[in-house]
């Protein structure tokens, strides 16, 4: 950690989540001196990604630090008579109701270690007999929360040498790669380099492999670095605000993405694929010819519905579900449109919201693939760091940009309090864990850092999250490298639809032969109570008994994590007690599928700090930058050290020079 920082900055940012990282990058790019600190040992906060052992360490420290008691604050002696302090919390209360289950075979030996990982924590994982799961789960009290984690994140990815590329997309359909271990790095070999017959193993991989190769817990531990597990599960709309920002700021050259290959629906107890593009619609065997024509006619209307107000004005006050019933659409089409295209529920959206969501879905189709969505290699946790310049891929992108333009980053560096001038009622400085007073004009603070006194009138929503490791996809296909999104509608009144995102190994988020599945919904109860019914519909717990008819068998559940996460995205700034006008609040992740809220929030905060400045403009050509002495050298401290990037990305990535011309 840095114990000798400069004593004055223009902007101090506390927390390294996505909105904080974007804002810090934008301020640095506009010439502001930025200090970006986080008391955690990893970037991203609740936007972070972990390897499997890193996640276990996060769970362990969550348990160990849940009983932190604030001692007598030493910073009080640094407060002058004409000042007052806003104390910051040492205890993160944004994560609750954590439950972990391990269903995979427990053949764990003492000498099994994750390759290249730090010491793991087996105590965090509960071995579960499917019939005894309720009695053996770990369930902390509501007061318990996550805390600082010491974990090893993947080293940063090397920027593509073709700097003209706007965005890197990996073609999932062409992924037949073979992964192999080279020292501590993952080397991915393209199938085109070694296969003489491309389609020989396709059927065998998708049907026979799970039967032949049972995944054990020791395998998961040993291959733990192949996992990149997001705390928050999101996708990027191909024409969304974040993709536009990545391209505009030229940060996209540091990232690679995968197309989401399938949009699925859960209907009448089974999973089926939803036709999205025109080709999908007319090739679909699920729809009759009449239904195909009806669907194409309605989708064409949605693309330009504003031009035909007479078609929907009379229905503005009713739900989108009721509106669809007036459009002479079959129940089959209504279901697909409501849950898999508009991605809403029977009661959640009115007609206008539903039409807007459908238009946005259609507008994003075809830019980079047959679905509207992209997923960043190595997980969502990469995004903030792209703008800041450090450890993760899409998080990694944010951190890179800010550090290049003068930002200083300090992990494991706590801010004890904010110092407020009594006369002007403006915040003037912070006092860190070493008692150093650091002066600044503007202060951005992530919501989780505020104490209970500051947040006593704030009403938070909660997000229910689950992370699963399974042995096969929820819907078999010719290729085992499918990335899918599925919406499971709510069954009971007062509950919410559950969003399911299933990731294959080519996303660099799980080991080969497994799938990483994320479930998300707005909380009505604890995460397990909200999500376990959906898990039971889609998966079956792993058992040692071989099931005779594997064709009808659901995917096996190997490992499961449930937790609730705070959603502060809709909290008004006025809800916080007595915050000076130059303290800005950044929220944590919301429950939405995309990242638009984080980008909008970052741009709003940036315009308040730097009015009339361009938000994240493209950086100058590196050849035009004149370096004055060693001004861009790293602050020589462990907390601001920026590691070299690594290149463990699939070789099938292709460059898109102009994304507008890449539509297929």
């Amino acid at each position: 950690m840095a114990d000798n920082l400069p004593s004055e900055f223009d902007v101090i940012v506390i927390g390294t989540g996505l909105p904080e990282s974007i804002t810090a990058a934008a301020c640095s790019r506009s010439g502001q001196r930025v200090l970006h600190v986080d008391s955690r040992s990893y970037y991203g906060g609740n936007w972070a990604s972990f390897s499997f052992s890193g996640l276990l360490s996060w769970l362990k420290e969550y348990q160990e630090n849940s009983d932190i008691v604030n001692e007598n604050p030493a910073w009080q002696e640094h407060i002058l008579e004409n000042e007052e302090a806003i104390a910051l919390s040492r205890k993160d209360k944004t994560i609750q109701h954590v439950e972990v289950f391990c269903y995979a075979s427990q053949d764990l030996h003492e000498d099994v270690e994750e390759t290249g990982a730090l010491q793991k924590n087996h105590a965090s994982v509960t071995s579960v007999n499917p019939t005894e799961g309720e009695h053996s789960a770990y369930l902390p009290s509501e007061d318990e929360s996550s805390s600082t984690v010491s974990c090893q994140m993947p080293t940063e990815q090397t920027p593509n040498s073709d700097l003209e590329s706007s965005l890197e997309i990996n073609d999932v359909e062409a992924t037949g790669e073979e992964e192999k271990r080279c020292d501590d790095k993952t080397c991915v070999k393209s199938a085109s380099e070694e296969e003489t017959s491309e389609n020989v193993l396709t059927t065998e991989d998708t049907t026979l492999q799970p039967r032949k190769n049972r995944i054990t817990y020791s395998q998961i531990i040993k291959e733990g670095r192949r996992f990149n597990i997001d705390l928050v599960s999101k996708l990027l709309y191909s024409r969304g605000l974040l993709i536009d920002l990545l391209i505009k700021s030229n940060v996209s050259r540091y990232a690679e993405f995968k197309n989401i290959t399938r949009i699925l629906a859960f209907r009448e107890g089974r999973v089926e694929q939803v036709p999205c593009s025109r080709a999908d619609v007319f090739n679909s065997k699920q729809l009759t010819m009449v239904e195909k024509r009806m669907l194409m006619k309605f989708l064409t209307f949605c693309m330009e519905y504003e031009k035909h107000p007479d078609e929907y004005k009379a229905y503005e006050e009713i739900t989108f579900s009721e509106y669809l019933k007036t459009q002479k659409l079959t129940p089959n089409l209504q279901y697909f449109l409501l849950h898999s295209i508009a991605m809403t529920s029977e009661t959640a959206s009115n007609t206008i919201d539903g039409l807007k969501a459908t238009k946005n879905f259609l507008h994003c189709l075809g830019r980079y693939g047959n679905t509207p969505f992209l997923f960043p290699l190595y997980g969502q946790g990469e995004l903030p760091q792209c703008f800041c310049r450090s450890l993760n891929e899409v998080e990694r992108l944010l951190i890179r940009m800010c550090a290049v333009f003068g930002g200083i980053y300090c992990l494991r560096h706590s801010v004890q309090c904010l110092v407020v001038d009594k006369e002007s009622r403006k915040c003037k400085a912070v006092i860190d864990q070493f008692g150093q007073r650091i002066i600044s004009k503007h202060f951005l603070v992530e919501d989780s850092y505020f104490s209970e006194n500051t947040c006593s009138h704030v009403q938070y929503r909660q997000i229910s999250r689950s992370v699963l490791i399974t042995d096969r996809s929820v819907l078999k296909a010719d290729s085992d490298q499918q990335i899918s999104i599925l919406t499971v509608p709510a069954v009971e009144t007062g509950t919410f639809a559950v969003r399911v995102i299933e990731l294959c190994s080519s996303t660099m988020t799980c080991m080969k032969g497994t799938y990483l599945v994320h479930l998300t919904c707005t909380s009505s109860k604890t995460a397990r109570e909200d999500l376990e019914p959906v898990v039971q519909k889609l998966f079956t717990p792993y058992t040692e008994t071989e099931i005779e008819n594997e064709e009808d068998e659901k995917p096996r559940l190997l490992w499961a994590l449930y937790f609730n996460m705070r959603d502060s995205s809709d909290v008004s700034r006025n809800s916080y007690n007595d915050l000076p006008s130059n303290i800005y609040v950044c929220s944590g992740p919301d429950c939405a599928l995309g990242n638009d809220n984080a980008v909008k929030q970052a741009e709003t905060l940036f315009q308040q700090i730097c009015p009339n400045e361009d938000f994240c403009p493209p950086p100058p050509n590196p050849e035009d930058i004149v370096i004055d002495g060693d001004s861009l050298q790293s602050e020589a401290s462990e907390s601001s050290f920026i590691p070299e990037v690594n290149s463990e990305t699939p070789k099938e990535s292709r460059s898109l020079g102009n994304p507008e011309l890449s539509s297929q």
Side-chain angles (χ1 to χ4, degrees), residues 324-370:
L324 292 176
K325 294 176 182 177
T326 69
Q327 298 303 298
K328 300 179 181 179
L329 298 169
T330 65
N332 201 26
L333 295 180
Q334 292 176 37
Y335 189 93
F336 285 163
L337 286 163
L338 185 68
H339 298 294
S340 300
I341 294 180
M343 294 190 177
T344 184
S345 65
E346 282 81 357
T347 58
S349 300
N350 60 30
T351 299
I352 299 299
D353 291 338
L355 290 172
K356 285 180 180 178
T358 304
K359 180 179 178 179
N360 183 52
F361 181 99
L362 298 171
H363 181 62
C364 295
L365 278 176
R367 190 181 194 187
Y368 297 120
N370 287 333

Side-chain angles (χ1 to χ4, degrees), residues 259-494:
N259 295 115
I260 304 304
T261 58
R262 302 186 300 185
I263 295 176
L264 307 178
F266 184 79
R267 190 165 181 234
E268 298 177 352
R270 58 192 180 88
V271 177
E272 51 192 42
Q273 187 167 347
V274 177
C276 299
S277 66
R278 182 183 297 270
D280 288 342
V281 170
F282 285 104
N283 289 330
S284 174
K285 296 180 181 179
Q286 303 161 263
L287 305 178
T288 66
M289 187 57 67
V290 173
E291 284 181 317
K292 292 176 182 180
R293 290 171 181 166
M294 294 169 64
L295 179 59
M296 289 306 302
K297 181 179 178 181
F298 183 77
L299 294 179
T300 301
F301 159 72
C302 289
M303 279 298 293
E304 48 186 25
Y305 74 92
E306 296 99 330
K307 297 180 181 179
H308 307 283
D310 295 342
E311 297 289 331
Y312 65 87
K313 280 291 184 182
Y315 306 102
E316 286 184 340
E317 302 302 320
I318 64 174
T319 64
F320 187 53
S321 175
E322 291 296 324
Y323 171 72
L324 292 176
K325 294 176 182 177
T326 69
Q327 298 303 298
K328 300 179 181 179
L329 298 169
T330 65
N332 201 26
L333 295 180
Q334 292 176 37
Y335 189 93
F336 285 163
L337 286 163
L338 185 68
H339 298 294
S340 300
I341 294 180
M343 294 190 177
T344 184
S345 65
E346 282 81 357
T347 58
S349 300
N350 60 30
T351 299
I352 299 299
D353 291 338
L355 290 172
K356 285 180 180 178
T358 304
K359 180 179 178 179
N360 183 52
F361 181 99
L362 298 171
H363 181 62
C364 295
L365 278 176
R367 190 181 194 187
Y368 297 120
N370 287 333
T371 73
F373 305 112
L374 299 174
F375 181 80
L377 283 183
Y378 301 102
Q380 173 76 22
E382 298 293 296
L383 287 168
Q385 296 185 59
C386 292
F387 286 92
C388 303
R389 196 207 181 312
S390 196
L391 300 175
N392 281 4
E393 211 54 49
V394 180
E395 269 186 8
R396 190 178 297 158
L397 303 180
L398 302 183
I399 295 171
R400 168 184 298 277
M401 182 177 171
C402 182
V404 166
F405 288 97
I408 294 179
Y409 284 82
C410 297
L411 293 180
R412 300 180 293 277
H413 196 101
S414 298
V415 172
Q416 303 295 306
C417 69
L418 304 166
V419 181
V420 179
D421 182 80
K422 288 183 179 179
E423 184 176 348
S424 65
R425 295 305 305 163
K426 291 289 186 73
C427 187
K428 58 194 292 189
V430 300
I431 295 176
D432 69 8
Q433 65 203 68
F434 302 105
Q436 181 181 0
R437 177 182 287 242
I438 305 174
I439 300 171
S440 183
K441 301 173 185 175
H442 305 278
F443 303 82
L444 273 73
V445 185
E446 201 269 317
D447 168 87
S448 66
Y449 281 89
F450 287 116
S451 67
E452 290 184 358
N453 290 335
T454 304
C455 302
S456 60
H457 295 98
V458 177
Q459 296 294 320
Y460 293 108
R461 293 183 300 187
Q462 296 289 323
I463 302 170
S464 289
R465 288 278 293 115
S466 180
V467 180
L468 313 176
I469 300 175
T470 67
D471 69 343
R472 67 181 69 180
S473 175
V474 292
L475 182 63
K476 292 181 181 180
D478 293 338
S479 169
D480 63 352
Q481 295 300 308
Q482 298 285 348
I483 310 172
S484 310
I485 177 172
L486 165 67
T487 301
V488 179
V491 176
E492 300 177 3
T493 304

Side-chain angles (χ1 to χ4, degrees), residues 197 223 235 242 277 296 351 413 528 560 584 637:
S197 177
E223 298 291 326
L235 299 177
L242 185 53
S277 66
M296 289 306 302
T351 299
H413 196 101
R528 185 183 171 196
Y584 310 92
S637 67

Side-chain angles (χ1 to χ4, degrees), residues 528-541:
R528 185 183 171 196
E529 291 172 321
D530 283 337
L531 300 175
E532 194 172 51
V534 175
V535 173
Q536 291 172 345
K537 290 177 182 178
L538 297 175
F539 307 99
T540 185

